């Protein structure tokens, strides 16, 4: 990127960059600049970018033997006085993102000795990031592997997985998200697809323990979200106590239910399981008097994502797995990947491919069949022409034959 | 196969050993949590059926969750002295301190606050602001989201700490470009960097993004990567004698930035750049379910370091929501109830609601695919 027009001469530029950085250290919210000052990160480059109102970084390269994803490198643009470089690793987070203090000290030590002393504790993929200098890259990979984690997840590969904290520290967790997280990583195919890029675009897998979706599974290429069948369980005795204590207002519970599934007759609260849309509104207000139902299912959503050919998308719901179906879930991921990997244009996310192919074609090509799979689109097509196979036309003929018989 | 011992790196070392990475008290109570209690802003108590309790203190991190190793070590000291010897990072970019009594939780709160890190979130409050990396490392961002986050955080801190009340949960994502790496638009308020005007092609840098000349001769123009990545067909490659020329039709461009993400030859003038502000998205299935945010304002200037224009709009949206929403009503549900037109009117922006109606005809194919996506069931309708 070229220098923006009207950029002041180098000395003036650095002076204004410094003023800008000082301003960002004021105020009550924690300052990233104050933290960066405690590290060997080239802060003047950032400051110059702010003055120029243009990113000061250009693409660089760094080669780390047999590490093909998770390594990113930048050079300061030629209009940044005194130049600078920035290299970072994306590092897999621990299950539930728990950091025991001995692990934190190991990370801090590696960061100080082999890096620049700067860490991004969590990114939106769910990984964390350590800054380093190029000459220490080989050593840092080994040091990270030594303490039980690794570098990976960038480019057109499977990215770092993300799971919510699940049963480790949440009452609402409907299944063991961290065990799923571990089982996925242990699969050789997942490992290989993380280690070596080769897909049309990135691919993300996220696992959420309940419909509140703290792991953001609904915007993953394949997401798994814990739900239950029917109505939530109501402990009428406990609920009555909570109502008497003024902790819960049953009328509010009924009013707040977005699907109108709750009725309150002054004595008992009833929930219609047919209507319940698992919004968690009653559960989070009256827990543990109202709890999720006992029959757990894992809703599968495919084709979500933020970045892609056709913009941001939420996932398509395609049916259920059981809470222990980790192997089926991993197989499903690779079934979904196959037609996309074979047919999609470069830089199309799974969701973009599904838009082009149509979801029913996609599911057929991927050979995905799940319990509870929606049988039809929610509305009819507005375009009155289509290519239909002979079999499909015959199906309609048979349908009409039945209707004729009824008349 | 290779004999290089470094080839072992192709088998990743994944941190999956729950026994090794989970703190003892968490292991003892895994799957046994039965109740939760809130103790003011930023402190939550989890109660196990074993009788054990874990108190979590939610602490705001600097923009883009950037910490120095020094600060991280100081946090580890606090976690050893007053906690259970563990911290937890959250997707919101906050850091949670874990301990086993309310007394210790309050002490942790006091200590981290004295270090300049506010404690808050949970319940009807701001739960944090997510920011992408932008000018800290990114080559494609057009505005600097960490400094926007800092400017917003300075003004919105009372909503995080609970000093000022909100109707319900509020989260904000700040992304430096249309790639939206801060988490997308499925959130209450999303701020997204915008090009403002179609990109300027730097001819001299183009060859880095094209196949080598000999290979290029054999590829059809429409099959060239740079042409393919444009979703609206605004980019085309033309051959003039032995030379190739990449042409951009500005009327077809929707500023999605995909060309820029894939090639460094697309440039811009900072004067054109700004941010879009989207509202009313969410990921949780609460209320009326997950949805993407909608554009409230398609362009505002982003002027560091204080970004007064952006801060003013965010403040206004929050004020309207605070004044008119029912208790417990998230921004998405509030807008749904009163209607988009009325909401836009309350914010005071009647004139800018129709940006999508001005989408050029050329983009109809793009919109067609987007509409097609609406025909299938989402989580809320499916389950």
């Amino acid at each position: 990127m070229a220098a923006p027009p009207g950029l002041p001469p180098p000395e003036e530029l650095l002076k204004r960059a410094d003023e800008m950085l000082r301003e960002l250290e004021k105020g009550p919210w924690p300052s990233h600049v104050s933290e960066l000052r405690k590290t060997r990160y080239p802060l003047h480059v950032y400051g110059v970018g702010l003055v120029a109102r243009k990113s000061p970084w250009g693409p660089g390269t760094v080669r780390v033997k047999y590490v093909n994803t998770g390594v990113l490198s930048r050079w300061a643009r030629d209009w940044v006085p005194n130049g600078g470089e920035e290299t970072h690793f994306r590092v897999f987070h621990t299950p539930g993102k728990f950091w025991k203090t001995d692990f934190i000290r190991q990370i801090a030590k590696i960061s100080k000795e082999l890096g620049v002393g700067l860490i991004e504790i969590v990114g939106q993929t769910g990984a964390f990031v350590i800054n380093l200098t190029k000459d220490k890259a080989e050593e840092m990979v080994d040091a990270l592997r030594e303490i039980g984690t690794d570098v990976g997840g960038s480019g057109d590969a499977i990215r770092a997985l993300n799971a919510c904290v699940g049963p480790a520290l949440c009452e609402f967790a409907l299944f063991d998200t961290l065990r799923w997280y571990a089982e996925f990583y242990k699969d050789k195919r997942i490992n290989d697809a993380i280690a070596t890029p080769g897909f049309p675009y990135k691919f993300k897998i996220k696992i959420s323990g309940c419909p509140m979706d703290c792991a953001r599974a609904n915007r993953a290429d394949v997401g798994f979200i814990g739900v239950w069948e029917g109505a939530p369980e109501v402990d009428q005795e406990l609920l009555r106590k909570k109502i008497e204590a003024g902790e819960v207002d049953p009328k509010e519970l009924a009013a707040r239910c977005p699907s109108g599934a709750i009725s309150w007759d002054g004595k008992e609260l009833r929930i219609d399981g047919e209507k319940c849309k698992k919004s968690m509104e009653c559960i989070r207000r009256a827990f543990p008097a109202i709890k999720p139902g006992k029959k757990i299912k894992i809703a599968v959503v495919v084709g979500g994502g933020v970045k892609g050919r056709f913009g941001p998308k939420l996932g398509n719901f395609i049916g259920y797995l059981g809470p222990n179906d980790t192997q089926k879930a991993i197989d499903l991921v690779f079934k979904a990947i196959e037609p996309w990997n074979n047919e999609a244009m470069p830089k199309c996310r799974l969701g973009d491919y599904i838009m082009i192919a149509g979801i029913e074609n996609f599911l057929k090509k991927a050979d995905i069949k799940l319990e509870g799979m929606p049988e039809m689109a929610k509305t009819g097509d507005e375009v009155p022409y289509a290519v239909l196979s002979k079999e499909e036309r015959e199906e309609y003929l048979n349908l009409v034959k039945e209707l004729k018989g009824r008349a | 196969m290779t004999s290089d011992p470094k080839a072992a790196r192709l088998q990743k070392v994944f941190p999956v050993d729950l026994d090794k990475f989970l703190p003892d008290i968490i292991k003892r109570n895994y799957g046994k949590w039965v109740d939760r209690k809130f103790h003011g802003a930023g402190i939550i108590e989890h109660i196990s059926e074993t009788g054990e309790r874990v108190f979590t203190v939610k602490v705001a991190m600097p923009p883009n969750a950037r910490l120095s190793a020094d600060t991280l070590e100081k946090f580890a000291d606090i976690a050893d002295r007053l906690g259970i010897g563990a911290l937890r990072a959250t997707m919101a970019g906050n850091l949670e301190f874990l301990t086993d009594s309310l007394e210790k939780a309050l002490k942790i709160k006091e200590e981290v606050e004295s270090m300049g890190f506010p404690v808050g979130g949970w319940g009807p409050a701001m739960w944090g602001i997510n920011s992408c990396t932008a000018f800290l490392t990114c080559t494609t961002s057009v505005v600097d989201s960490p400094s926007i986050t800092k400017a917003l955080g300075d003004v919105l801190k009372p909503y995080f700490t609970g000093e000022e009340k909100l109707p319900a949960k509020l989260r904000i994502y700040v992304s430096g470009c249309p790639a939206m790496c801060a988490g997308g638009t499925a959130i209450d308020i999303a701020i997204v960097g915008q090009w403002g005007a179609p990109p300027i092609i730097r001819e001299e840098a183009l060859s880095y993004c094209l196949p080598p000349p000999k290979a290029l001769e054999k590829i059809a123009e429409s099959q060239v990567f740079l042409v393919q990545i444009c979703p609206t067909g605004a980019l085309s490659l033309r051959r003039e004698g032995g030379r190739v020329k990449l042409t951009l039709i500005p009327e077809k461009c929707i500023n999605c930035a995909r060309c820029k993400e894939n090639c460094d030859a697309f440039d811009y003038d900072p004067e054109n750049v700004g941010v879009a502000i989207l509202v009313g998205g969410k990921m949780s299935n609460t209320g009326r379910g997950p949805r993407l945010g909608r554009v409230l304002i398609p362009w505002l200037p982003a002027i560091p370091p204080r970004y007064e224009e952006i801060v003013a709009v965010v403040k206004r949206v929050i004020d309207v929501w605070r004044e008119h929403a029912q208790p417990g009503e998230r921004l998405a549900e509030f807008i749904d109830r009163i209607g988009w037109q009325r909401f836009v009117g309350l914010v005071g922006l009647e004139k800018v609601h129709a940006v999508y109606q001005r989408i050029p005809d050329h983009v109809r194919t793009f919109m067609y695919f987007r509409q097609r996506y609406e025909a299938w069931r989402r989580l809320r309708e499916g389950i």
Side-chain angles (χ1 to χ4, degrees):
Chain A
M1 286 218 272
L7 205 60
E11 251 175 54
E12 168 73 9
L13 183 55
L14 288 172
K15 194 174 143 260
R16 281 176 51 193
D18 196 50
E19 285 165 10
M20 193 73 88
L21 293 169
R22 275 176 211 288
E23 180 60 31
L24 289 171
E25 289 186 86
K26 296 173 188 164
W29 197 255
S31 165
H32 53 304
V33 175
S34 303
E35 285 301 312
L36 292 164
R37 276 206 202 283
K38 298 176 194 164
T39 72
R40 294 187 297 282
Y41 174 87
L43 198 48
H44 69 283
V45 182
Y46 177 60
V48 167
L50 288 170
V51 175
R53 290 172 62 190
K54 215 163 180 180
S55 173
W57 298 107
T61 51
V62 57
R63 268 178 199 281
V64 188
K65 278 192 160 185
Y66 294 101
V67 181
N68 305 323
T69 65
V71 186
L72 296 102
S73 183
R74 320 289 189 208
W75 280 108
R77 299 279 178 188
D78 56 9
W79 42 267
V80 178
N82 305 336
E85 68 152 86
E86 197 267 9
T87 301
H88 61 267
F89 279 172
R90 291 188 188 160
V91 185
F92 302 115
H93 233 299
T94 51
K97 299 183 181 63
F98 286 99
W99 273 1
K100 291 209 274 193
T101 46
D102 55 350
F103 188 77
I104 294 174
R105 294 205 171 86
Q106 287 169 329
I107 291 287
K109 185 166 179 277
I110 291 172
S111 168
K112 280 179 170 179
E113 288 175 4
L114 303 174
V116 302
L118 176 64
I119 297 146
E120 180 188 342
I121 61 164
V122 64
Q124 278 300 306
T125 304
F128 67 99
V129 174
I130 302 188
N131 280 63
L132 63 143
T133 47
K134 283 180 185 180
D135 55 324
K136 293 283 173 35
E138 293 282 345
E139 252 180 283
M140 192 186 270
V141 171
D142 291 333
L144 288 167
R145 286 169 66 86
E146 189 68 28
I147 65 165
T149 184
D150 211 332
V151 177
S154 67
D156 302 336
I158 292 186
R159 300 296 184 89
L161 305 184
N162 190 32
C164 72
V165 68
L169 195 59
C170 181
E171 301 77 25
F172 296 163
L174 293 165
F175 72 109
D176 196 340
T177 52
L178 300 187
R179 194 173 61 79
W180 277 55
Y181 181 77
E183 291 296 318
F184 267 73
Y185 271 142
K186 284 178 195 163
D187 190 277
K188 176 79 174 116
R189 294 167 292 172
I190 298 270
N191 175 79
D192 293 352
I194 288 174
T196 312
F199 295 142
Y201 205 4
K202 65 172 114 177
F203 195 91
K204 296 191 175 192
I205 303 165
K206 298 182 196 283
I207 304 157
S208 272
C210 87
M212 279 155 86
D213 196 5
C214 290
R216 327 255 194 273
N218 221 327
R219 65 156 196 251
D221 293 275
V222 176
F224 302 99
I225 301 170
V227 295
W228 66 92
E229 201 172 291
E233 279 185 6
V234 185
D235 180 338
Q236 300 288 353
E237 192 61 33
L238 189 55
L239 185 65
R240 209 164 295 133
K241 276 185 196 153
K242 277 192 175 275
I243 293 168
E244 277 161 20
E247 290 171 32
V248 171
D249 175 0
K251 282 180 199 148
E252 197 204 342
L253 289 187
R256 284 263 168 239
C257 177
S259 47
I262 299 181
S263 55
W264 167 253
D265 63 4
K267 282 183 205 148
E268 272 205 351
L269 186 107
R270 290 187 194 285
I271 306 179
D272 180 348
E274 289 285 309
K275 283 188 185 165
C276 175
K277 283 288 176 191
K278 284 65 179 171
S279 76
M280 306 287 289
E281 291 285 353
C282 58
I283 294 169
R284 69 198 184 105
R285 283 186 171 77
F287 194 84
I290 307 179
K291 284 183 191 174
K294 284 258 158 47
K295 189 168 181 212
I296 307 301
K297 301 194 288 191
I298 314 300
V300 182
V301 284
V302 297
V306 169
K307 192 173 167 177
R309 187 174 183 89
F310 299 121
K313 300 174 271 298
L314 293 175
N316 300 285
F317 169 77
I318 60 163
Y320 300 106
L321 289 170
N324 298 313
D325 290 345
T326 47
Q327 281 312 312
K328 279 189 195 163
I330 297 167
D331 291 343
L332 182 137
V333 164
F334 286 95
K335 277 183 175 179
I337 284 176
E338 205 184 323
W340 167 66
N341 194 24
N342 290 341
E343 295 176 13
M345 275 200 289
K347 302 291 168 189
C348 273
R349 290 285 285 271
L350 179 64
D352 300 317
Y353 169 71
I354 291 174
M355 278 192 194
I356 294 169
I359 188 152
E360 290 179 44
N361 284 336
F362 160 72
L363 290 171
K364 207 184 273 177
K365 283 182 187 182
D367 189 28
I368 292 174
K369 288 188 191 82
L370 291 173
E371 181 219 330
M373 198 174 246
E375 280 180 7
M376 56 191 256
K378 61 186 176 187
T379 56
D381 205 331
E382 288 168 342
V383 179
Y385 31 83
V387 177
L388 297 172
S389 67
K390 193 158 176 282
E391 291 77 24
E392 277 174 299
R393 277 179 278 143
E394 269 168 13
E395 269 177 43
Y396 285 102
L397 203 59
N398 290 336
L399 183 83
V400 173
K401 267 182 200 158
E402 253 178 59
L403 290 180
K404 274 164 86 181
R406 245 187 263 169
Chain B
M1 286 302 284
T2 169
S3 56
D4 188 342
K6 286 191 169 144
R9 286 174 177 171
L10 288 173
Q11 174 57 54
K12 298 287 175 192
V13 177
F14 293 113
V16 292
D17 184 354
L18 300 190
D19 199 48
K20 177 181 171 183
F21 288 105
L22 298 189
D24 288 339
I25 189 168
I26 297 297
K27 278 190 273 182
R28 284 198 299 272
N29 297 291
Y30 195 90
K32 295 178 184 166
W33 304 105
V34 291
D35 204 0
R36 56 170 64 181
K37 277 187 192 144
F38 294 93
H39 298 277
I43 300 179
I44 188 171
E45 173 186 6
H46 293 274
I47 303 163
S48 165
E49 65 183 29
T50 65
E52 284 195 288
R53 283 144 201 268
V54 166
F55 292 78
T56 306
V57 184
K58 195 192 277 293
V59 184
M61 290 292 103
N64 194 226
R66 295 276 177 161
L67 276 187
S68 64
D70 287 343
T71 305
L72 199 55
E73 279 175 338
K74 280 184 191 148
F75 285 158
D77 291 341
I78 295 175
D80 276 339
R81 202 156 29 82
L82 294 168
I84 59 159
L87 300 171
R88 202 178 84 77
T90 75
M91 282 305 283
N94 296 316
L95 196 61
E96 296 183 346
F97 283 71
L98 308 171
T99 187
D100 54 12
S101 80
L102 182 58
E103 201 189 357
K104 287 187 202 161
L106 291 168
K107 273 194 191 142
I108 291 171
K109 180 174 190 244
E110 203 180 304
E111 288 213 12
V112 292
E113 280 179 346
S114 73
M115 287 171 72
F117 295 91
V119 168
W122 281 313
M126 182 172 83
W127 290 35
I129 310 174
N130 278 69
S131 166
C132 69
T133 63
F135 293 4
L136 289 173
T137 167
C138 178
T139 59
T140 60
S141 60
V142 290
V143 302
D144 181 53
S145 40
S147 51
I148 298 175
T149 303
K150 169 71 176 141
L152 283 170
D154 282 340
V155 174
L156 303 179
K157 185 188 163 225
Y159 298 122
F160 178 76
T161 57
E163 291 156 67
E164 298 272 354
K165 292 278 174 253
L166 291 174
K169 174 180 179 173
L170 170 72
R171 297 202 41 211
I172 301 174
Y173 289 166
V174 189
S175 298
C177 81
M180 297 177 280
C181 295
T185 59
I187 201 65
D188 305 276
I189 300 176
I191 296 163
V192 180
Q194 291 298 323
W195 285 58
I200 304 157
I201 299 174
R202 285 164 65 219
E203 295 282 344
E204 71 276 14
L206 206 54
S207 61
Y208 296 110
C209 316
L210 289 170
K214 283 227 164 127
L216 187 58
E217 278 172 24
K218 293 175 192 151
I219 305 173
E221 285 85 347
S222 62
Q223 297 303 307
V224 174
F225 177 69
L226 272 188
V227 174
Q228 282 190 328
I229 50 163
C230 178
T232 62
L235 283 172
S236 58
L237 197 72
R238 296 187 188 164
R239 297 183 207 263
E240 287 167 6
R243 290 182 63 239
V244 290
K245 191 173 162 49
L246 190 73
T247 310
L248 176 93
I249 302 166
E251 288 77 13
K252 283 191 178 185
C253 178
I254 55 169
N255 269 339
C256 69
R258 272 170 62 82
C259 52
K260 173 66 198 143
E261 281 163 25
N262 290 289
C263 177
D264 199 41
F266 297 90
D267 207 345
Y268 61 86
D269 181 340
E271 285 307 311
N272 294 330
V273 157
V275 297
I277 298 190
L278 295 91
V279 295
K282 66 206 271 278
M283 194 58 84
S284 170
N285 192 38
T286 52
R288 294 189 195 183
R291 78 268 319 272
L292 300 172
R294 285 190 276 182
V295 175
L296 179 69
I297 297 185
W299 189 91
L300 272 182
I303 302 164
R306 284 291 149 204
Y307 301 97
E308 280 151 14
E309 294 78 6
I310 300 172
V311 171
V313 171
V314 171
K315 273 284 282 175
R316 178 71 190 148
V317 168
I318 293 174
D319 285 346
V320 165
W321 176 48
R322 287 181 76 199
E323 193 182 331
H324 297 274
Q326 293 169 355
E329 204 170 44
R330 248 177 112 165
L331 193 54
E333 270 75 52
F334 164 61
I335 295 173
D336 261 8
R337 178 171 59 80
I338 68 163
W340 179 251
Q341 290 297 334
R342 174 130 191 271
F343 173 74
V344 171
L346 284 173
V347 176
L349 295 165
E350 297 90 336
K351 282 178 189 165
V352 290
H353 66 276
V355 63
Y356 274 110
Q357 288 164 25
R358 290 193 277 109
I359 275 206
D361 280 0
H362 309 96
V363 182
R364 263 194 276 170
T365 45
F366 178 90
M367 297 308 284
Y368 166 72
F369 280 112
R370 288 229 47 134
Q371 272 178 344
R372 194 167 167 176
Y373 207 62
E374 291 306 317
W376 188 259
R377 282 162 202 237
R378 298 303 166 77
L379 182 76
R380 169 50 69 91
E381 294 137 2
I383 61 175

